[in-house]
Amino acid sequence: MKLIAAAVGRPPNAALAAAIEHYEERAARYWPLEIREVREEPARSATAPQASLVRDKEAERLRARVEGATLVACDENGRSMTSAACATYVQGARERARDIAFVIGGAYGLAQSLLTSAQLRIALAPWTMPHELARLVLAEQLYRAGTIVRGEPYHK
C-alpha cells in the first residue's frame, strides 16, 4: 500500500513549498508516500466554459498519474473528516493493501469526472483555499494520521 498525493502545479512561493516538503517528508516516515505533480493548465481570468476546459485537461493529467489507485478527491464540498477518522481510513487502506491517491485540483478545482469517479470526497476545510495551501493541509494531516496510528502525542 502506498499513499499518493497528486496535485496540479508546484507551489510558486518558496516558503510554502518548503513547508509542504517538510510535512510530506514527515508523513513519509509513517506511510509509503509518493508525490505526483502535474502541469497546471494556463488560464487567466477564465470564463465558466474556459474554466471547465482547464479542469478537464488537468483531470486527464491527474488521472494518468494515479491509475489503479483508490481515488480520494480533495474538494471543498466533500465530507468533513476528523483527524482520527482520517487515520482510521488510511490505516484501513493499509490493512487492505490498497493504494490511495489523494487528488488536489488546480486554481479552478477538480473536474466533475474526477469528483464522480472518486471513492471518497473529503473537505480539507469548510472554506475555499488555494490549491497550494490544500496540499500543505493534506500533507500535515497524513503526518498526523501516522502519529495517531502509532499512538504518538503529536495529534493532541
Side-chain angles (χ1 to χ4, degrees):
M1 181 286 290
K2 68 180 164 242
L3 299 181
I4 301 163
V8 173
R10 293 183 177 200
N13 178 290
L16 184 55
I20 291 168
E21 184 178 339
H22 171 76
Y23 278 104
E24 288 173 344
E25 287 174 358
R26 291 179 96 173
R29 295 179 198 157
Y30 296 92
W31 319 101
L33 177 64
E34 291 183 16
I35 308 306
R36 299 181 184 174
E37 296 173 334
V38 300
R39 183 175 54 85
E40 192 167 9
E41 188 66 22
R44 290 204 171 121
S45 304
T47 63
Q50 292 167 326
S52 180
L53 183 61
V54 166
R55 285 190 299 269
D56 290 343
K57 288 183 177 184
E58 291 173 345
E60 289 174 23
R61 294 181 192 123
L62 286 167
R63 193 176 301 282
R65 298 297 313 266
V66 300
E67 193 172 330
T70 298
L71 192 62
V72 176
C74 298
D75 176 57
E76 66 180 310
N77 297 311
R79 176 179 148 206
S80 191
M81 186 182 283
T82 66
S83 296
C86 178
T88 299
Y89 178 78
V90 175
Q91 180 62 18
R94 171 187 269 177
E95 291 168 2
R96 291 184 306 279
R98 299 282 319 241
D99 291 349
I100 303 174
F102 294 89
V103 293
I104 298 172
Y108 296 100
L110 289 169
Q112 190 60 43
S113 63
L114 277 176
L115 295 173
T116 56
S117 64
Q119 180 194 41
L120 178 65
R121 289 169 59 177
I122 60 171
L124 298 175
W127 53 83
T128 304
M129 68 177 83
H131 56 285
E132 297 91 354
L133 191 54
R135 184 167 163 189
L136 175 60
V137 170
L138 174 64
E140 192 281 336
Q141 284 301 300
L142 293 176
Y143 167 62
R144 185 177 297 268
T147 66
I148 290 170
V149 168
R150 285 199 189 161
E152 296 174 359
Y154 173 78
H155 70 282
K156 297 185 181 201

